[in-house]
Amino acid sequence: MTTGAPAFRLRAAGLATLLLAAGPAAAQDNSVWDPGTLPETKGTVKQYTLTPRGDVDGLILADGTEVKLPPRLSGAVVFTVRPGDAVSVRGMRARALPLIDGAQIRNEATGATLVTLGGPEPAAGETVMSGRIAALLHGRRGEVNGALLDDGTTLRLPPHEAARLSATLQAGQPVSLRGMVTRSPLGTVVEVRALGASPDTLTEVGGPPPRPPTSVR
């Protein structure tokens, strides 16, 4: 259980590195748009901007310019540029604000380039799949809230349901599941809706537990 998570992080980092090293051409395969035709702005990254969930959704440059980026590429953005890096950004500029809708960002020192055009594969309908559990995933309090399959796929389910299905959710065991699959350049994650030892023995997975009633004084 202690080796699965680091191995997955290495695979995710490797995938992002390959994407960045390949340059704009690799990232543009699924897009008809050429970010090279858009206005270019150069500057130094002062800091990231974050969503309420902590995902990176943009940059603030040293001159105050705000660059908006898709939160789905949060990990790839962090691999590409960091505060203090000199960057060139291509994207549409706002008329009356120091704001850029970023389509491409390039680290001037390393040459790493990230193209943001095009969205991730849409979450398809529920899919049934099988695999072997490589490691369990945990929340900050140590509660099990998911698992990694041996192919690097991340499974997520509510902790109280993971506890209820703990006999099935064991490292080293084969598992089947039904759920919503989302794929991105950083990996594949499944929101588990049913779980079992085989496709014929799936047990439905519920949502978050109900909140306890509040006392009225």
Side-chain angles (χ1 to χ4, degrees), residues 2-146:
T2 58
T3 59
F8 174 73
R9 286 196 292 270
L10 287 173
R11 284 195 294 270
L15 178 59
T17 302
L18 287 174
L19 177 64
L20 300 176
Q28 289 175 207
D29 286 348
N30 295 323
S31 175
V32 299
W33 307 109
D34 178 9
T37 62
L38 296 171
E40 182 181 40
T41 299
K42 294 190 175 184
T44 301
V45 178
K46 180 180 179 181
Q47 68 181 76
Y48 301 125
T49 60
L50 305 175
T51 69
R53 295 178 52 185
D55 295 322
V56 174
D57 69 348
L59 308 171
I60 302 295
L61 302 185
D63 65 357
T65 299
E66 182 180 359
V67 181
K68 299 306 298 179
L69 300 167
R72 63 183 172 79
L73 295 180
S74 176
V77 171
V78 173
F79 278 118
T80 310
V81 296
R82 297 184 180 182
D85 289 345
V87 297
S88 62
V89 179
R90 289 191 179 274
M92 294 297 294
R93 297 173 182 157
R95 290 182 182 276
L97 293 171
L99 178 66
I100 300 173
D101 185 5
Q104 176 182 293
I105 183 167
R106 182 179 186 274
N107 187 314
E108 295 286 80
T110 66
T113 302
L114 177 66
V115 176
T116 69
L117 296 176
E121 295 182 32
E126 291 189 350
T127 300
V128 176
M129 63 176 62
S130 298
R132 185 174 298 274
I133 297 175
L136 300 182
L137 299 176
H138 303 81
R140 291 185 177 273
R141 294 186 294 273
E143 71 280 15
V144 176
N145 62 6

